[in-house]
Amino acid sequence: MSNLIVIAFPTEAKAEEVRQKLFAMQKEYLIELGDAVIAVKDAKGNVRLNQLINTTAAGAVGGAFWGSLIGLIFLMPLAGAALGAASGTLGGYLTDVGINDKFMKDTAAAIQPGTAALFVLVRKVTADKVLEGLQGEGGTVLKTSLDHTKEAALQAALAGVQAAVPSTPA
């Protein structure tokens, strides 16, 4: 079962730094991420999502490739590429992978302008080592699907306070 964690940071740079730390931990098999998105609220109150995968661009590239291939069969590769890219772009735009975009924008609306929120979907985690790696990073836990003790341990680690993490059987 996956857990959703939302942490607010004072800057987008700090949120990106923590996201990169999580990616490094993932390479060491300490954590398995389903998604990691940074939401930034600008001075006007608009929320922008910095996602890992741009589904619109990926759809356009894939659509152009397949459209060109099919267009070659009918001797109209340029028309096929254009039609394929257009349909791929639309399909990519309508595709939502990982954490729901509307949920992230609604949640990020609560943060202060100029700040950022890191949305992390965690599939598996070695809690004690990940908490140790996040020790003193700062940030405030906004929402989580963790139980209260694990949420408190996460907040304590972000604040740089040593907290006992209860061991639970996997």
Side-chain angles (χ1 to χ4, degrees), residues 2-170:
S2 297
N3 285 305
L4 176 67
I5 301 167
V6 183
I7 306 169
F9 289 98
T11 65
E12 180 180 7
K14 186 62 179 177
E16 184 62 43
E17 179 185 323
V18 172
R19 180 164 71 167
Q20 292 306 317
K21 268 193 169 186
L22 291 172
F23 290 152
M25 289 182 210
Q26 184 169 254
K27 288 179 184 174
E28 296 174 12
Y29 300 100
L30 298 176
I31 190 169
E32 184 181 325
L33 301 173
D35 202 2
V37 179
I38 297 174
V40 181
K41 188 172 184 180
D42 64 17
K44 294 179 183 176
N46 298 323
V47 176
R48 176 180 48 85
L49 299 178
N50 178 354
Q51 299 188 349
L52 295 175
I53 300 170
N54 184 344
T55 55
T56 304
V61 170
F65 171 75
W66 288 108
S68 295
L69 194 61
I70 292 169
L72 280 172
I73 294 170
F74 296 105
L75 301 175
M76 296 187 306
L78 293 178
L83 186 60
S87 62
T89 299
L90 180 62
Y93 179 75
L94 297 175
T95 301
D96 189 14
V97 179
I99 306 167
N100 182 285
D101 289 358
K102 182 174 178 359
F103 169 78
M104 288 188 287
K105 286 185 177 185
D106 291 346
T107 303
I111 63 175
Q112 297 296 319
T115 62
L118 175 61
F119 291 78
V120 182
L121 188 62
V122 179
R123 290 192 179 129
K124 294 179 187 173
V125 65
T126 306
D128 58 340
K129 292 184 179 182
V130 171
L131 289 176
E132 183 180 308
L134 294 176
Q135 192 77 26
E137 285 297 328
T140 305
V141 177
L142 294 180
K143 287 188 179 219
T144 178
S145 61
L146 299 171
D147 63 42
H148 294 296
T149 56
K150 290 178 183 172
E151 182 178 341
L154 174 60
Q155 186 61 60
L158 290 170
V161 179
Q162 290 288 355
V165 179
S167 59
T168 56

